[in-house]
Amino acid sequence: MFTLTDLELEALYLSLLVSGWAVAGSLPLGIGCAWLLARRDFPGKTLVDGLIHLPLVLPPVVVGYFLLVLMGRRGVIGSALYDWFGISVAFTWKGAAIASAVIAFPLMVRAIRLSLEGVDRGLEQAARTLGCGPFATFFTVTLPLVMPGILTGVILAFARSLSEFGATITFVSNIPGETRTLPIALYALTQVPGEDAAALRLCVISVVVAFAALMASEILSRRVQARLKG
């Protein structure tokens, strides 16, 4: 019952690979967007905020379709990538990572932004008074203080990436060994008679991995906060 087949192990590996790259690739941009929204006022800020959080309220299939139009082989961005660099992301695991990153990005930004808004600005001003430049202040003062929020955002985005289905299947389809992640593999098994046991195994694995990610987020955040408090 709980012995995984090669195809199921492959789906688990692909899910971890896609989620890891989705988070790693979007983290620098997530920190930058969170800082911009938390610390700067500029014309169109509400619009930018809305665009960043739009994937939270759009059907994932719509996000996947937009990605296909933009980054498909004949898309506006995808055609340029293919013609100039020979890179194609549609229907590959790299495209799955992009789709997962787009869907999970608002959760990451929101967690980091809330942490940034809670930082005592006086500590940053004290560092500037002591001669630290803006970049040195950010990396030596601000970034360590918002580390709990960053960890929370990273793990929430990772967990959301693991569960991504709609945008992924629309943008990169269901290709065994290439784009068939856990949710897609589970969906495929539910369409095949007699595969109830395999579907249940993948369901249990998905629950365990997601729950472990959430627990890890809570534990890491508490440890970092305790360290910051001395």
Side-chain angles (χ1 to χ4, degrees):
M1 172 64 186
F2 292 102
T3 301
L4 298 180
T5 66
D6 290 340
L7 289 177
E8 292 163 0
L9 288 171
E10 189 176 71
L12 176 59
Y13 167 75
L14 273 174
S15 289
L16 296 174
L17 176 69
V18 165
S19 299
W21 276 105
V23 172
S26 60
L27 180 58
L29 182 60
I31 294 174
C33 289
W35 182 86
L36 188 67
L37 293 174
R39 296 297 178 83
R40 289 290 181 267
D41 290 321
F42 53 89
K45 180 178 178 179
T46 302
L47 178 62
V48 172
D49 191 14
L51 288 174
I52 289 174
H53 290 87
L54 192 59
L56 280 179
V57 295
L58 279 177
V61 174
V62 174
V63 177
Y65 179 74
F66 278 134
L67 288 174
L68 189 61
V69 170
L70 289 174
M71 304 193 71
R73 183 72 64 86
R74 297 181 180 178
V76 178
I77 299 174
S79 60
L81 286 175
Y82 185 75
D83 293 340
W84 296 348
F85 306 105
I87 298 173
S88 178
V89 295
F91 308 109
T92 67
W93 71 266
K94 302 178 186 67
I98 293 172
S100 296
V102 172
I103 292 295
F105 189 69
L107 293 175
M108 178 188 293
V109 171
R110 191 168 186 82
I112 299 173
R113 179 184 178 181
L114 290 173
S115 188
L116 274 167
E117 290 174 344
V119 170
D120 184 358
R121 302 291 294 273
L123 296 174
E124 296 174 327
Q125 293 171 359
R128 296 295 300 273
T129 302
L130 293 172
C132 287
F135 287 102
T137 300
F138 177 78
F139 285 105
T140 61
V141 178
T142 308
L143 202 59
L145 290 174
V146 300
M147 192 56 65
I150 293 175
L151 290 174
T152 300
V154 164
I155 297 180
L156 284 176
F158 182 81
R160 181 63 185 87
S161 297
L162 281 174
S163 64
E164 169 48 36
F165 174 79
T168 303
I169 199 170
T170 305
F171 183 40
V172 298
S173 190
N174 177 10
I175 305 173
E178 183 67 33
T179 65
R180 183 176 286 181
T181 57
L182 277 176
I184 296 176
L186 178 58
Y187 173 77
L189 288 173
T190 61
Q191 308 304 305
V192 180
E195 293 292 346
D196 294 342
L200 179 59
R201 284 197 299 270
L202 291 186
C203 184
V204 171
I205 291 171
S206 299
V207 171
V208 169
V209 173
F211 186 74
L214 292 175
M215 292 297 294
S217 171
E218 182 67 20
I219 293 170
L220 288 173
S221 295
R222 288 182 179 180
R223 288 184 176 180
V224 171
Q225 287 175 348
R227 183 172 299 179
L228 290 175
K229 292 178 181 178

